[in-house]
Amino acid sequence: MVRKTMKLKIEAPEDSSVLTKERFLAFMQASSDIIFLMSPDWMTMTKLYGKGIIADTEEPDMKWQGKYIPPSNWLFFNSMINDCIREKKALHLEHRVLRSNGSTGWADTKVVPLLDAKGRIKEWIGASIDITARKQIEEALQKSEAALRGKDREKNKYISMLSHEFRNPLAVIAATISLLQMSDNKDETAKLTDTLKRQSDQLCKLVDNLLDLTHINEDLLLLKKDDILLNDLAVNTASDLRKKFDVKGIHFIMDIDNKPLLLHADPVRITQIIGNLLHNAIKFTPKDGTVLLSLKQEEDEAVLRIKDNGMGIRRDLLPTLFTPFTQADNSLDRQNNDGLGLGLSIVKRIVTMHGGTVAAESEGLHKGSLFTIRLPLIIRDDAPADNSTAEPAPKTFNILVIEDNKDLAEIFCSFLNKLGHKVWGAHEGRSGVKIAREIRPDIIFCDIGLPGMNGYEVASTIKADVSLKKTLLVSFSGYTDEASLQRARESGFARHIAKPVRMDVLRQFLDECI
């Protein structure tokens, strides 16, 4: 068998340089990148296809830099180019670029030199990709990271502050209990008991503020609005605090408009914000200082002002004064501060929920301060009619308390007994359900975290018992997040009281049940 050999002859094109240019132009048009050509010294851009991202260059252009590069980048850009020309090396950098739509974007650019047989630069060929979107994402991530770091610093500051504020009253309480155990003097015992009450009140105030802020942030704070006379509310709130002004030697002046100022508002929350601002005035005003509480009508608003000539507020703090955990006195000695810096934040949120505004003014340290609250009025010809009737006779209830903390349960039951109610106690869920079926109480106060059968299970069991359908179920627990409260409602609890349980809140709740 004879094999025939076939010879192929490949002929070069007549003008290979033309073919090369045609191929290069085709490549420039086909590529999704921005392709450009530069002269050896980078003085002239000979060609650029901008792909609609930046403007095209069809003819040699010596002013290309002003066309594509922001002036603020020229010095850096030229420095990079000179290094590459001197060392005949490729250039790779990310830089700002002027886009065809008039905006400034970002490009990732790579440029390589074409050398002749003698190693001289004949031309530069470059390609750029638009990385504007990526840079925007990176910038957003950097801002987000910075914000998270800021939040983390705030959290650490808050935890440190919280630890400090709780440690102080707890240390006093622990020391006071030790003294009580050693004392047999009635006067000393009474004094120590007063100390315990003050410090426990401070702890309750700290927890209440934390709970209020949490409820406000999660839209869980419910306002129980009614038509109220702000005049009476302001006078009563101030009167309750007058003794504190007298003890500290502060001159307290009230200037209350005689004209009835009617609001549709939650009286408890309005009392809270007035009391909060007056407490601050007492705290930051020295002996022989003056505090003025004024209440006037201005157009369709009630305007309440509390002015003092005390410590004042640094001007740099004013813009963030109503931000949580901001304190006017954040020095190490903190002689005038015994809180978490939540009070003013809560004031602002409550005022806002009532459709009002609050503002703070101060000329600086030791120049006093002025707080102004504006609340919308109900405009009527006459003040609301007095529909009050004779106070009803106190009603007593059969109450079951289910609480696994025996000390708390004992104190809780003793207080209810002193109010005239008949009280039973249980320390775990199953025995609580058994007692409930035996006595059929009017009200059950039930903890959530119980051994064996938890509070949710207790509530579900009670609600399923027809004989207990008239029993009011009230949860009292430190679980105050929305998921826990929703689960409590679904289990059958009609009301919730947050721990630590304040006896004045408990008394008010029982009065409302009458």
Side-chain angles (χ1 to χ4, degrees):
M1 182 176 181
V2 180
R3 290 189 177 183
K4 294 182 179 180
T5 303
M6 180 179 293
K7 294 183 178 181
L8 297 178
K9 183 179 181 181
I10 301 175
E11 296 181 358
E14 293 180 3
D15 189 348
S16 59
S17 62
V18 172
L19 184 59
T20 300
K21 287 182 179 179
E22 288 176 350
R23 285 177 173 175
F24 184 73
L25 290 174
F27 167 72
M28 292 178 75
Q29 292 171 347
S31 173
S32 59
D33 293 349
I34 299 168
I35 307 295
F36 60 92
L37 301 175
M38 301 296 299
S39 63
D41 58 2
W42 279 75
M43 295 298 293
T44 305
M45 177 178 284
T46 57
K47 188 76 70 176
L48 183 142
Y49 284 92
K51 307 300 180 181
I53 301 169
I54 60 177
D56 292 337
T57 291
E58 299 289 349
E59 301 294 335
D61 186 358
M62 297 184 67
K63 298 181 179 180
W64 63 271
Q65 199 167 55
K67 184 177 179 181
Y68 298 117
I69 308 299
S72 59
N73 286 42
W74 288 357
L75 185 62
F76 167 74
F77 206 81
N78 289 333
S79 174
M80 296 289 290
I81 291 171
N82 291 334
D83 286 345
C84 291
I85 293 173
R86 184 173 59 253
E87 299 180 20
K88 300 178 182 179
K89 66 178 182 179
L91 172 70
H92 182 199
L93 77 160
E94 294 180 355
H95 60 92
R96 294 277 190 177
V97 65
L98 301 176
R99 294 155 63 94
S100 56
N101 62 6
S103 66
T104 300
W106 281 89
D108 184 333
T109 296
K110 295 179 181 179
V111 192
V112 295
L114 290 180
L115 306 179
D116 61 16
K118 294 183 180 181
R120 294 173 298 191
I121 300 174
K122 295 196 302 180
E123 193 173 31
W124 294 83
I125 299 178
S128 296
I129 58 173
D130 183 16
I131 59 169
T132 303
R134 192 196 83 194
K135 283 291 187 178
Q136 289 172 342
I137 293 172
E138 289 176 355
E139 185 178 352
L141 285 173
Q142 289 171 356
K143 288 181 179 178
S144 177
E145 288 174 2
L148 286 173
R149 286 194 294 270
K151 291 292 183 183
D152 190 55
R153 286 192 296 270
E154 288 179 10
K155 178 203 69 177
N156 291 336
K157 178 182 176 183
Y158 155 67
I159 291 174
S160 175
M161 190 186 306
L162 187 65
S163 172
H164 175 81
E165 293 301 336
F166 273 90
R167 189 181 295 115
N168 281 347
L170 285 173
V172 175
I173 289 171
T176 303
I177 290 172
S178 298
L179 286 173
L180 278 173
Q181 291 171 338
M182 299 167 59
S183 176
D184 56 2
N185 183 294
K186 289 184 178 180
D187 291 339
E188 184 181 31
T189 300
K191 184 178 179 181
L192 292 172
T193 302
D194 287 342
T195 300
L196 279 177
K197 184 179 185 306
R198 283 197 306 274
Q199 297 302 321
S200 62
D201 285 347
Q202 175 63 14
L203 278 176
C204 287
K205 180 182 176 183
L206 292 172
V207 174
D208 284 347
N209 281 345
L210 285 169
L211 290 175
D212 278 346
L213 185 65
T214 300
H215 290 163
I216 290 170
N217 286 340
E218 297 181 2
D219 293 327
L220 297 178
L221 189 67
L222 300 178
L223 299 180
K224 298 178 181 178
K225 291 186 176 183
D226 198 357
D227 291 355
I228 61 172
L229 283 173
L230 185 56
N231 316 60
D232 294 344
L233 206 62
V235 170
N236 292 337
T237 305
S239 298
D240 291 341
L241 294 173
R242 183 172 285 279
K243 184 178 178 181
K244 293 190 175 183
F245 284 101
D246 294 340
V247 168
K248 196 171 179 182
I250 298 172
H251 304 292
F252 180 52
I253 303 169
M254 283 195 291
D255 181 14
I256 307 296
D257 200 332
N258 291 325
K259 181 180 179 181
L261 302 178
L262 183 63
L263 302 180
H264 186 63
D266 184 331
V268 173
R269 295 302 177 181
I270 298 300
T271 299
Q272 178 182 356
I273 62 178
I274 297 173
N276 186 296
L277 294 180
L278 287 175
H279 271 292
N280 281 353
I282 295 170
K283 186 190 304 182
F284 295 110
T285 303
K287 181 181 178 181
D288 296 326
T290 301
V291 174
L292 170 64
L293 167 64
S294 68
L295 177 61
K296 304 291 181 184
Q297 178 176 348
E298 295 182 7
E299 297 181 354
D300 58 350
E301 292 180 323
V303 182
L304 184 142
R305 293 183 173 92
I306 296 176
K307 182 178 177 62
D308 67 69
N309 61 353
M311 192 179 86
I313 305 166
R314 297 201 326 258
R315 290 193 174 188
D316 61 302
L317 280 180
L318 287 173
T320 59
L321 193 63
F322 294 98
T323 302
F325 310 116
T326 297
Q327 296 178 319
D329 180 8
N330 52 17
S331 58
L332 286 176
D333 58 12
R334 299 176 67 224
Q335 297 175 2
N336 297 306
N337 212 336
D338 58 356
L340 295 171
L342 297 178
L344 291 179
S345 173
I346 292 170
V347 166
K348 181 177 178 64
R349 306 288 184 90
I350 292 175
V351 169
T352 301
M353 291 173 72
H354 282 85
T357 61
V358 59
E361 301 173 48
S362 178
E363 293 299 318
L365 287 177
H366 310 297
K367 295 184 178 180
S369 60
L370 169 64
F371 287 85
T372 304
I373 293 176
R374 296 178 179 272
L375 294 166
L377 285 169
I378 299 174
I379 306 300
R380 293 181 181 170
D381 294 334
D382 300 307
D386 185 4
N387 296 320
S388 62
T389 57
E391 186 175 331
K395 180 179 178 180
T396 59
F397 297 107
N398 290 336
I399 299 175
L400 172 60
V401 176
I402 308 176
E403 167 61 62
D404 63 329
N405 184 321
K406 295 183 179 180
D407 291 335
L408 177 58
E410 183 178 347
I411 293 172
F412 201 55
C413 292
S414 296
F415 181 77
L416 292 171
N417 273 319
K418 289 183 181 296
L419 293 180
H421 304 289
K422 193 171 183 179
V423 187
W424 289 260
H427 299 311
E428 53 92 22
R430 288 189 177 85
S431 61
V433 172
K434 182 180 178 182
I435 295 172
R437 286 171 173 162
E438 292 173 356
I439 67 173
R440 297 182 184 179
D442 300 304
I443 302 172
I444 295 177
F445 290 101
C446 184
D447 187 21
I448 297 297
L450 295 170
M453 177 185 282
N454 65 43
Y456 302 125
E457 294 168 333
V458 169
S460 298
T461 304
I462 296 295
K463 293 303 291 184
D465 193 323
V466 178
S467 66
L468 297 171
K469 64 180 181 179
K470 292 184 179 180
T471 298
L472 177 66
L473 278 166
V474 182
S475 65
F476 66 110
S477 167
Y479 300 109
T480 60
D481 57 281
E482 174 56 21
S484 297
L485 294 176
Q486 179 63 28
R487 186 178 177 187
R489 289 190 290 268
E490 292 171 352
S491 299
F493 286 108
R495 296 286 296 275
H496 175 81
I497 295 178
K499 287 183 178 180
V501 181
R502 289 175 49 179
M503 297 307 159
D504 56 335
V505 173
L506 182 59
R507 186 199 297 266
Q508 181 181 350
F509 169 77
L510 292 170
D511 289 343
E512 292 173 355
C513 291
I514 295 174

